[in-house]
Amino acid sequence: MEFLFENPFILIAVIAFISSFFKKRKEEKPVKQAPRSVQQENRAQAESSADPALAEVLKEEKRKLTEKSRRIEEDYRQLKQQAEQSVKALQSQQRAAERKASAISRTAANSKTGYPVEASGAGKFEQQKQSLVDGIIWSEILGPPRSKNPHRSLNRKR
């Protein structure tokens, strides 16, 4: 017995054998369970063989439940269609309002400037940006000469 405790390889082999033995026993124990629907059908068949009146009641209840679920699904489909139609109507109203607003803004801009304005505001921004650049260039050109306003160098300040 002391030989087993002194040699680690034999000790590991004994522990592995014992654990595999118990693992095999544990695997043999569980029995596969049938799904709930199969269990319910088996129960219903067992009850129907015992009492035909009870079987008829169960069939009637099952038929009522399936009919009720069909009605619920149909109601859901109808509500979904109504919601989709209302969403489409709202989207078309929104598009019409946007078109109307853009037409109004175009006519207002045309009456003020006399020039047609682009539908998107991107061109307007680009024109403003270019006019700002041009303004800075012309201010440098038309401003006082550099010789009248020289930069002070760092050497003179010391």
Side-chain angles (χ1 to χ4, degrees):
M1 196 67 171
E2 291 174 19
F3 177 71
L4 290 175
F5 292 118
E6 290 176 0
N7 194 347
F9 295 113
I10 295 176
L11 184 63
I12 291 172
V14 170
I15 291 173
F17 175 73
I18 292 171
S19 65
S20 67
F21 177 73
F22 285 115
K23 189 175 184 180
K24 286 181 184 178
R25 267 185 119 185
K26 198 181 258 186
E27 288 176 358
E28 292 173 4
K29 249 185 186 179
V31 177
K32 280 190 173 180
Q33 293 182 350
R36 286 189 182 261
S37 60
V38 174
Q39 289 177 352
Q40 290 173 351
E41 288 176 11
N42 291 339
R43 227 182 282 142
Q45 288 176 356
E47 291 173 357
S48 66
S49 63
D51 189 10
L54 183 60
E56 288 298 320
V57 170
L58 289 174
K59 285 181 185 178
E60 184 66 26
E61 289 295 320
K62 187 175 181 181
R63 186 186 60 76
K64 286 180 183 177
L65 286 175
T66 55
E67 185 178 314
K68 191 174 185 179
S69 67
R70 285 185 194 137
R71 277 187 272 140
I72 290 172
E73 288 175 0
E74 185 61 32
D75 291 342
Y76 170 74
R77 285 189 198 109
Q78 289 174 354
L79 289 173
K80 185 177 177 182
Q81 287 175 351
Q82 289 173 355
E84 288 173 351
Q85 289 172 354
S86 65
V87 166
K88 287 179 184 178
L90 288 173
Q91 286 175 346
S92 64
Q93 286 177 357
Q94 182 181 8
R95 281 189 228 113
E98 287 173 354
R99 279 189 235 123
K100 194 174 188 180
S102 65
I104 291 171
S105 67
R106 275 192 228 135
T107 57
N110 286 345
S111 65
K112 287 180 185 176
T113 61
Y115 297 108
V117 178
E118 294 181 21
S120 66
K124 194 173 187 181
F125 180 72
E126 290 294 326
Q127 291 173 355
Q128 290 176 350
K129 187 176 179 183
Q130 186 61 38
S131 65
L132 288 174
V133 171
D134 290 342
I136 292 172
I137 291 172
W138 280 107
S139 71
E140 289 294 323
I141 292 171
L142 299 174
R146 193 74 193 134
S147 61
K148 297 225 175 181
N149 190 12
H151 284 294
R152 301 285 179 204
S153 66
L154 294 175
N155 293 336
R156 289 187 184 175
K157 288 183 179 179
R158 289 185 190 177

